[in-house]
Amino acid sequence: MVSRIHDVTRRFFLRIRASFVTRNIILESTKKMNKYLLLIITLIFLSLSGFSQVITVLDSESGAPLETVTLSSDKPRYYTVTNAKGQADISRLKGSKSIDIRLIGYKSETKSYDDLKKVQFLLILKPTVISLDQFIVSATRTDQDEREVPAKILSISAREIALQNPQTAADLLGGSGEVFIQKSQQGGGSPMIRGFATNRLLYTVDGVRMNTAIFRSGNLQNVISLDPFAMENAEVIFGPASLIYGSDAIGGVMSFKTLAPEYSLTDKPLVSGHALARYSSANNEMTGHFDIKVGWKKWASVSSFSHSRFGDLRMGTYGPNEYLRPWFVQRQDSMDVVVQNNDPELQKPTGYSQANLMQKLAYKPNENWEFIYGFHYSATTNYPRYDRLIRAKKELPRSAEWYYGPQVWMMNNMTAINNAYNKIYDQMTIRIAQQYFEESRIDRDFQKDTRYNRLEEVYAYSANLDFSKTVVGKHAFYYGIEAVMNDVNSTGIDEDIITGIKSIGPSRYPQSTWSSYAAYLSYKYRFNEQFLVQAGLRYNQFMLKADFSDNLQFYPLPFSEVDINDGALTGNLGIIYYPAKDWVIIANASSGFRAPNIDDLGKVFDSEPGAVVVPNPYLKAEYAWNMELGISKVFDDFLKIDVTGYYTLLDNAMVRRDFTLNGLDSIMYDGEMSRVQAIQNAAQATVYGIQAGMELSLPAGIGISSQFSYQKGDEELDDGTTSPMRHAAPWFGITHFTYTYSKLTMDFYAIYNGQVSYEDLPIEERGKEYIYATDINGNPYSPSWYTLNLKAGYQVNESFSIFTGIENLTDQRYRPYSSGIVAPGRNFILTLKATF
């Protein structure tokens, strides 16, 4: 009886204490009474259950729990992340004098363990766009304070992704205003960063390299294999990052982190998830998504599935008439017929469908070890290559058919993380992955009977072993080894569509293997709270073996095999200086490299009408040398300005140049006498530019932010003159006006893009007049453009949210530089999202 009275008394006083903790918050506004009732209930629950070392983190505006908040400490050295209920176990942080609490888009807090204990382990975070400190993982493959990374890094949070509501992962990046996106077709999206693109940029998914040996120098669309609705966050590190990531990381690294399993902190299973439906009017898009997380104390899983159907894309009303689609080709009565398009603003054909599946399973036997298995699968239907379908030859369509077959990506990966804090390492991460890529090209010339089908399959294997170690607080080491192997299988089938007879045709690539083995070491030294230096080196050995035997019957190559075995040494040196807590100066010198891959060395293809590219067995790696200086300043927690300037030299660049084959400068290819070309180490290129940003936080929930990028690139030509670099986009930017009140968030923003005149158009782009507008002299050029857009999100209750928007309010007709497809016209978007 005495025990029961004691228990009841304890509960009563703990409830009173919990009420006093939230009293000041409740008194702020009677209008917020209901949303903070949840906080009181949460406090009471925690008191009753006795889990005093479980912290709960909530949003100050909506009272909703905040997921993926990072809590970290140096003494003791440990970090943890909140789950879907905004909760995390911080028992291992007991006694810490300084716990950093951070989430992208929220004001960071630093508290001691005792401070958190005084407020019953309840913390309220306020949304903000003003911050110099975030937690990022792309720089070293492990969680690291952005304040200690001497590079410009873009972080895109789940909160930002939800409001911007992108159709694809390419749109997710483009919506940041800091990455330029080119699209040849609707099923596409090729990022351009600091004058580089395609195989000079690197993609990673959950720390695993996604680039393969057939990533080409032409525009890519592999990024659309990723599901934007299954993203926890995304990061972009600008500039060379070969120290950590190896080949291809010249212009930057795009790091995608997908949804992670979450453990329960109680004896009851933790169950959470989302379901959403999305509609977009410009292409009659219909998307459905569902994800669910189930967690126990030691086991956890997350499952995700998305399906999207995209119809033909409608362009805007006001803009160049050259962009209209007045005709398209149909097959009628065994004949190719040019059909008048009754709706020239509708781009036919451009529609396709896509499905994404993800499953992860995690096991945490104790506080020191965690094992995570992940499975990813993505597949599209056939999708038309729109820019090839609008080409003409002698006033007739050049192609009757040109489409990509299903783009398939599958990944199995296993990650083991050990937090040991021993003499060798504090954290060890082992990643082993197997990936499968499938892509194909199907094309047929107008009024021709032969359909060409080229299928590529890549089996990619990788293993990474990464370590981090901090010594005496001032010294930090990041080191590791990596092994990558790609097995490329390529086939060609020629089909007579009249008789149905199929025959073996030339494959796009030789049967090949590409491999890379590397070791790296990065060292960071903190002189004091204001000054930090980081330096590192990486050595990479790469090998390529290609067998051309199957294609010798089609092409008179002077060799049947190619064997390349070479190495590359890269490094970086970076400095971070904090003159004061509210501003930072970053200086960085870094190098990157790109090893020749199968696409560079082995393919035979028509690069443009009248020219054919043939293999070159003598390729070597190209190198980038980069210097940059960045300054960020925060003024009284209401204004942030950041500016970064950079200069990059690309040496020994692999570029397409005139070549000879068996002494001939021209050969017959696909029935046409074509000039022989090959990829060669034949040029230097330079890129310089500036990236600037501004963020302003005003009273009453109003915010203004802007991003602007200017880049200028020049590439050396055969005759010693220079041409603008193809992937150096014109200046571009974005400006946001945001408003937040309670459960409502609104974003009115403008996207804008500069002109590329005929004189500034790269030489190789001038021959693609079919994708450009025409200037007063009759020459192709890319006009400037802008769009006005409005997005809004409203949280109806804990379980239901609505996101809506109108893109391109003024219905502009525009085509982003170098793109084959015209951008969407006025586009109405509606997303209904349920959370449980």
Side-chain angles (χ1 to χ4, degrees), residues 34-35 61-64 741-745 792-804 830-835:
N34 289 336
K35 71 181 180 183
E61 295 290 339
S62 65
Y741 176 74
S742 186
K743 299 179 179 181
L744 174 67
T745 301
Y794 183 72
Q795 184 178 330
V796 179
N797 52 43
E798 293 178 29
S799 303
F800 188 66
S801 302
I802 299 174
F803 298 92
T804 187
L830 176 64
T831 298
L832 306 178
K833 183 177 181 180
T835 302

Side-chain angles (χ1 to χ4, degrees), residues 11-24:
R11 296 182 184 183
F12 175 77
F13 280 104
L14 284 177
R15 291 179 185 179
I16 293 176
R17 184 180 182 184
S19 300
F20 276 106
V21 169
T22 57
R23 180 186 61 183
N24 293 333

Side-chain angles (χ1 to χ4, degrees), residues 106-173:
Y106 287 82
K107 185 176 181 180
S108 299
E109 298 281 355
T110 300
K111 304 284 186 180
S112 70
Y113 184 88
D114 289 339
D115 291 336
L116 297 176
K117 186 175 181 181
K118 289 176 183 177
V119 295
Q120 285 289 299
F121 298 101
L122 174 72
L123 189 66
I124 311 299
L125 292 187
K126 295 181 179 180
T128 182
V129 296
I130 310 298
S131 177
L132 283 179
D133 53 345
Q134 298 172 354
F135 245 65
I136 53 95
V137 298
S138 58
T140 58
R141 292 184 185 271
T142 187
D143 290 302
Q144 189 175 3
D145 193 334
E146 187 185 32
R147 295 174 300 180
E148 299 185 356
V149 178
K152 178 174 173 57
I153 295 177
L154 163 69
S155 298
I156 307 173
S157 68
R159 187 167 176 257
E160 293 171 306
I161 295 172
L163 180 60
Q164 290 306 314
N165 211 356
Q167 279 193 345
T168 68
D171 297 331
L172 183 158
L173 293 170

Side-chain angles (χ1 to χ4, degrees), residues 353-392:
S353 297
Q354 179 171 337
N356 286 80
L357 173 68
M358 183 187 74
Q359 177 64 56
K360 290 185 180 180
L361 183 65
Y363 174 57
K364 195 171 185 179
N366 52 52
E367 288 296 326
N368 296 326
W369 281 97
E370 183 177 22
F371 302 89
I372 305 171
Y373 165 75
F375 173 78
H376 300 259
Y377 180 82
S378 173
T380 70
T381 58
N382 295 339
Y383 53 101
R385 175 73 185 265
Y386 183 75
D387 63 337
R388 294 299 179 98
L389 294 174
I390 61 176
R391 297 183 303 169

Side-chain angles (χ1 to χ4, degrees), residues 391-662:
R391 297 183 303 169
K393 182 180 181 181
K394 297 180 180 179
E395 298 184 354
L396 288 174
R398 183 179 177 89
S399 300
E401 303 175 44
W402 215 121
Y403 58 91
Y404 290 105
Q407 179 172 293
V408 179
W409 170 62
M410 181 183 71
M411 179 170 74
N412 293 278
N413 69 303
M414 174 64 76
T415 302
I417 302 172
N418 177 225
N419 297 297
Y421 305 103
N422 55 39
K423 293 182 179 180
I424 306 300
Y425 62 87
D426 293 334
Q427 185 179 86
M428 174 185 69
T429 303
I430 304 171
R431 291 185 180 91
I432 301 173
Q434 177 268 331
Q435 299 179 79
Y436 171 76
F437 300 83
E438 178 186 316
E439 57 185 58
S440 56
R441 294 159 178 80
I442 300 93
D443 70 283
R444 182 175 61 83
D445 289 345
F446 184 69
Q447 294 181 347
K448 300 293 183 180
D449 297 335
T450 303
R451 178 187 290 136
Y452 302 98
N453 190 328
R454 303 295 179 259
L455 172 67
E456 282 75 55
E457 297 175 293
V458 179
Y459 296 86
Y461 309 89
S462 62
N464 292 84
L465 185 58
D466 299 297
F467 300 90
S468 63
K469 177 64 182 177
T470 299
V471 180
V472 199
K474 291 187 175 183
H475 307 269
F477 297 87
Y478 305 92
Y479 58 100
I481 56 176
E482 177 185 70
V484 178
M485 197 274 281
N486 283 191
D487 188 1
V488 179
N489 182 40
S490 182
T491 57
I493 299 293
D494 297 342
E495 177 187 2
D496 188 313
I497 64 171
I498 302 299
T499 64
I501 296 175
K502 297 181 180 180
S503 58
I504 296 176
S507 60
R508 182 175 172 87
Y509 300 112
Q511 309 309 305
S512 317
T513 59
W514 183 94
S515 55
S516 168
Y517 305 94
Y520 73 91
L521 169 65
S522 180
Y523 169 68
K524 180 173 63 180
Y525 178 70
R526 176 176 287 281
F527 289 87
N528 50 47
E529 290 298 318
Q530 293 180 293
F531 192 66
L532 178 149
V533 174
Q534 184 168 351
L537 286 173
R538 177 191 181 102
Y539 181 76
N540 226 109
Q541 191 73 18
F542 55 88
M543 286 151 278
L544 186 157
K545 293 184 178 182
D547 184 353
F548 292 87
S549 300
D550 293 343
N551 275 352
L552 291 181
Q553 59 180 310
F554 304 104
Y555 306 121
L557 301 177
F559 48 83
S560 61
E561 294 183 352
V562 172
D563 193 340
I564 294 178
N565 190 338
D566 207 348
L569 180 67
T570 54
N572 74 349
L573 174 63
I575 298 171
I576 302 177
Y577 175 56
Y578 277 86
K581 189 176 181 180
D582 56 1
W583 70 299
V584 59
I585 300 173
I586 295 175
N588 185 29
S590 59
S591 62
F593 81 100
R594 187 172 75 83
N597 64 19
I598 307 302
D599 185 84
D600 299 313
L601 176 142
K603 71 179 177 183
V604 177
F605 76 108
D606 57 330
S607 60
E608 58 190 46
V612 59
V613 175
V614 299
N616 176 11
Y618 306 110
L619 287 175
K620 294 184 176 296
E622 60 183 14
Y623 289 85
W625 309 90
N626 177 77
M627 297 186 69
E628 64 184 89
L629 178 66
I631 301 175
S632 294
K633 170 70 173 171
V634 172
F635 299 87
D636 297 328
D637 288 334
F638 80 94
L639 174 64
K640 176 185 175 183
I641 295 177
D642 64 88
V643 180
T644 301
Y646 61 90
Y647 177 88
T648 305
L649 169 67
L650 183 65
D651 192 27
N652 220 26
M654 287 182 272
V655 293
R656 191 168 69 238
R657 291 288 185 265
D658 288 343
F659 198 61
T660 59
L661 184 64
N662 294 327

Side-chain angles (χ1 to χ4, degrees), residues 104-263:
I104 299 173
Y106 287 82
K107 185 176 181 180
S108 299
E109 298 281 355
T110 300
K111 304 284 186 180
S112 70
Y113 184 88
D114 289 339
D115 291 336
L116 297 176
K117 186 175 181 181
K118 289 176 183 177
V119 295
Q120 285 289 299
F121 298 101
L122 174 72
L123 189 66
I124 311 299
L125 292 187
K126 295 181 179 180
T128 182
V129 296
I130 310 298
S131 177
L132 283 179
D133 53 345
Q134 298 172 354
F135 245 65
I136 53 95
V137 298
S138 58
T140 58
R141 292 184 185 271
T142 187
D143 290 302
Q144 189 175 3
D145 193 334
E146 187 185 32
R147 295 174 300 180
E148 299 185 356
V149 178
K152 178 174 173 57
I153 295 177
L154 163 69
S155 298
I156 307 173
S157 68
R159 187 167 176 257
E160 293 171 306
I161 295 172
L163 180 60
Q164 290 306 314
N165 211 356
Q167 279 193 345
T168 68
D171 297 331
L172 183 158
L173 293 170
S176 69
E178 298 187 60
V179 178
F180 187 90
I181 300 295
Q182 181 276 351
K183 292 186 179 183
S184 297
Q185 64 281 327
Q186 186 173 197
S190 188
M192 296 183 183
I193 299 175
R194 289 190 175 183
F196 298 101
T198 61
N199 54 17
R200 289 174 177 149
L201 301 177
L202 188 77
Y203 304 80
T204 71
V205 183
D206 292 336
V208 176
R209 176 190 180 93
M210 193 180 184
N211 291 41
T212 72
I214 64 171
F215 265 40
R216 57 189 181 275
S217 58
N219 297 307
L220 294 169
Q221 57 269 359
N222 296 75
V223 71
I224 70 166
S225 291
L226 306 179
D227 184 359
F229 300 102
M231 290 296 161
E232 197 165 275
N233 60 62
E235 296 171 0
V236 179
I237 179 169
F238 294 91
S242 289
L243 173 67
I244 302 298
Y245 292 99
S247 179
D248 304 357
I250 287 180
V253 174
M254 291 157 285
S255 176
F256 298 90
K257 184 179 180 181
T258 60
L259 297 174
E262 296 177 349
Y263 300 95

